[in-house]
Amino acid sequence: MPDRITMKNALVEIDGDEMTRVLWGLVKEKLLLPYIDLKTEYFDLGLENRDRTDDAVTSESAHAIARLGVGVKCATITSNADRKKEYNLKALTPSPNATIRAILDGTVFRKAISVKGILPTVSTWKKPIVIGRHAYGDIYKNAEMLIPGPGKVELVYTAADGSEKRILVADMKGSGIVQGIHNLDDSIKNFARACFLYALDEKLPVWFASKDTISKTYDGRFKDIFNQIYETEFKEKCNAAGISYFYTLIDDAIARVVKGEGGFLWACKNYDGDVMSDMIASASGSLAMMTSVLVSPSGAVEYEAAHGTVQRHYYRWQKGEKTSTNPTALIFAWTGALAKRALLDNTPELGAFAKKLEDATLKTIEEGEMPGDLARLAQNAPSKVLNSWEFIDAITKRL
Ligand code: NAP
Ligand code: MG
């Protein structure tokens, strides 16, 4: 194909599962390949290939992002007992996102894509709320155990010199469960830095919340480190840019978030960010309108849609239905990665294309042609509810 935009350097392309895998191919075929001579290092993280490679492909893809600096990822199945049966797997593999995040040690920023005519469920929200999710440790790197019967559970730390520290977790009166979690000072510091850097870039105030009243040592450490990084590295820059930082308890934060008008970066611990980003995404409109970018301390970035593989739609697609699955966040994952590649490589043509594709997508929705999830929310009834294929064609027309 003549006249396609060329890329100086490759980016990492990570394919995934189910309905998002179907849309991935479609987005590439219709919206990218006709315009760009795509240069990617491709990794197939579809569940079957992860199983075939004993999950080696997942770590390889993360190391490739560290090397090339930019990646884009499709949603992937996190395997469980049902999936093991469904896909006839050798073994259960860990969540690919957790593996990638652990290798890149990053912070995930999630932001809803706003479109004219689609109002958030929370009527006070005027501006997007960005979630900054710490992407290392806590329950995502836990050790847990079923306790069969009465006995003592202890936490033991053996220092490098062999000395020991131990505390009692519980004197169990009967069977139950136990879990050990951890985090690292360095990772928390990088989390705080990533948040303040993002906030300075986007001119947003920063909120951080945890449960330090109950978890005085664990969450208390998060609070202290965040504060220390702010005071020693960012306070002056934030003051100069008119950006405030404020810490509160997680329950207080939630009350304020729902009553506020948005327009801030909400820094969340790993689990809080996981749960709250789905709440923010759904309340902002649709899960399919939430973008997600993982920023590692080295500067490497990975873009994805915040939603999963849209399993229910996939089963309907397998039966022949042309589902109305919304590809917007997937498209924005690609445009985010292409724009970043353009910035790093100094290839403004590529950056301009990414912007045009985003504009064409938003314009399609704003002009009343949209998938079903948005049609339900549209202020004015849409002129057309489209399936994914028709929606992508409608974008192509404007592109
Ligand atoms: P999901 O795929 O996000 O879908 C949940 C529901 O949200 C869908 O059934 C659909 O609602 C709606 N939805 C999500 N994305 C949509 C889109 N693009 N267009 C229209 N509607 C959309 O979550 P899930 O069903 O809980 O998880 C499915 C699989 O995804 C699981 O195996 C999970 O492990 C994986 N997952 C992966 C990631 C990731 O890779 N980043 C993240 C989360 C989950 P309706 O059915 O009502 O239309
Ligand atoms: Mg989640």
Side-chain angles (χ1 to χ4, degrees):
M1 277 177 257
D3 294 339
R4 290 192 304 170
I5 298 166
T6 53
M7 290 174 65
K8 221 183 255 175
N9 290 299
L11 56 82
V12 180
E13 173 186 354
I14 303 180
D15 212 341
D17 289 300
E18 299 195 312
M19 204 58 215
T20 41
R21 189 180 181 103
V22 176
L23 294 178
W24 194 261
L26 193 65
V27 165
K28 277 177 68 180
E29 181 203 326
K30 300 273 187 173
L31 300 176
L32 301 174
L33 289 170
Y35 309 97
I36 308 174
D37 187 10
L38 262 191
K39 242 193 214 174
T40 71
E41 257 185 51
Y42 178 88
F43 293 85
D44 181 2
L45 261 61
L47 187 52
E48 282 143 329
N49 195 44
R50 277 182 274 146
D51 193 53
R52 206 174 301 126
T53 62
D54 299 318
D55 208 26
V57 66
T58 306
S59 328
E60 281 162 19
S61 71
H63 290 296
I65 294 175
R67 180 164 40 81
L68 292 177
V70 184
V72 59
K73 180 181 171 290
C74 181
T76 44
I77 292 170
T78 299
S79 58
N80 57 18
D82 289 344
R83 299 300 203 158
K84 190 161 181 235
K85 225 158 94 196
E86 183 183 356
Y87 285 84
N88 198 13
L89 304 174
K90 289 188 284 191
L92 292 184
T93 43
S95 149
N97 284 336
T99 303
I100 294 170
R101 285 168 198 157
I103 291 170
L104 294 174
D105 179 19
T107 299
V108 177
F109 295 97
R110 293 203 169 143
K111 183 179 179 184
I113 303 162
S114 20
V115 208
K116 283 187 213 107
I118 310 283
L119 291 184
T121 314
V122 179
S123 56
T124 52
W125 290 355
K126 305 281 178 263
K127 292 174 253 172
I129 295 166
V130 181
I131 297 250
R133 172 182 171 191
H134 184 211
Y136 178 83
D138 301 351
I139 61 165
Y140 304 85
K141 258 207 161 323
N142 66 359
E144 45 184 28
M145 211 195 279
L146 282 175
I147 303 295
K152 251 200 284 184
V153 176
E154 287 180 307
L155 215 51
V156 183
Y157 162 67
T158 314
D161 67 6
S163 63
E164 263 185 22
K165 241 175 149 176
R166 59 175 69 214
I167 57 166
L168 182 72
V169 173
D171 199 348
M172 309 274 293
K173 299 284 176 269
S175 62
I177 40 185
V178 62
Q179 159 168 260
I181 60 171
H182 80 283
N183 224 300
L184 296 169
D185 288 352
D186 276 345
S187 179
I188 303 170
K189 285 178 190 165
N190 285 333
F191 165 47
R193 289 184 184 115
C195 288
F196 288 116
L197 287 172
Y198 186 99
L200 284 166
D201 252 10
E202 305 269 324
K203 303 269 173 291
L204 294 172
V206 180
W207 297 14
F208 178 49
S210 73
K211 195 72 183 177
D212 66 296
T213 43
I214 301 294
S215 171
K216 290 185 167 53
T217 305
Y218 199 102
D219 280 19
R221 189 82 183 152
F222 268 89
K223 176 185 173 181
D224 290 348
I225 289 179
F226 222 96
N227 218 26
Q228 177 208 336
I229 295 292
Y230 174 68
E231 291 289 337
T232 57
E233 298 178 26
F234 289 96
K235 194 172 182 172
E236 278 171 34
K237 286 179 215 151
C238 286
N239 283 344
I243 286 169
S244 56
Y245 165 59
F246 126 91
Y247 176 85
T248 187
L249 282 173
I250 186 77
D251 23 11
D252 177 49
I254 285 162
R256 287 169 186 260
V257 162
V258 173
K259 284 187 296 193
E261 59 169 53
F264 52 87
L265 169 65
W266 182 9
C268 289
K269 288 178 62 200
N270 211 344
Y271 175 80
D272 298 338
D274 183 350
V275 179
M276 287 305 146
S277 65
D278 280 11
M279 189 273 283
I280 300 283
S282 305
S284 300
S286 161
L287 266 181
M289 298 299 283
M290 188 76 148
T291 60
S292 180
V293 55
L294 173 73
V295 181
S296 88
S298 70
V301 287
E302 181 213 42
Y303 293 83
E304 61 168 344
H307 60 77
T309 60
V310 213
Q311 184 180 3
R312 286 196 290 268
H313 292 212
Y314 180 62
Y315 293 151
R316 300 203 320 254
W317 176 81
Q318 280 184 317
K319 289 192 189 126
E321 183 186 330
K322 290 221 153 168
T323 59
S324 184
T325 317
N326 184 349
T328 304
L330 273 187
I331 295 170
F332 275 66
W334 271 102
T335 54
L338 292 169
K340 182 71 184 186
R341 189 72 276 169
L343 200 67
L344 294 175
D345 294 350
N346 195 16
T347 48
E349 257 196 335
L350 185 63
F353 172 79
K355 178 79 176 68
K356 277 182 196 158
L357 178 50
E358 290 184 358
D359 290 347
T361 306
L362 297 179
K363 194 156 189 266
T364 305
I365 299 168
E366 285 168 4
E367 290 180 354
E369 299 188 59
M370 62 187 81
D373 59 320
L374 295 181
R376 284 195 291 272
L377 303 162
Q379 259 179 313
N380 307 311
S383 43
K384 279 189 208 150
V385 178
L386 306 180
N387 67 40
S388 307
W389 289 259
E390 294 164 337
F391 180 59
I392 286 175
D393 283 342
I395 297 171
T396 309
K397 255 191 290 166
R398 290 165 176 92
L399 191 61

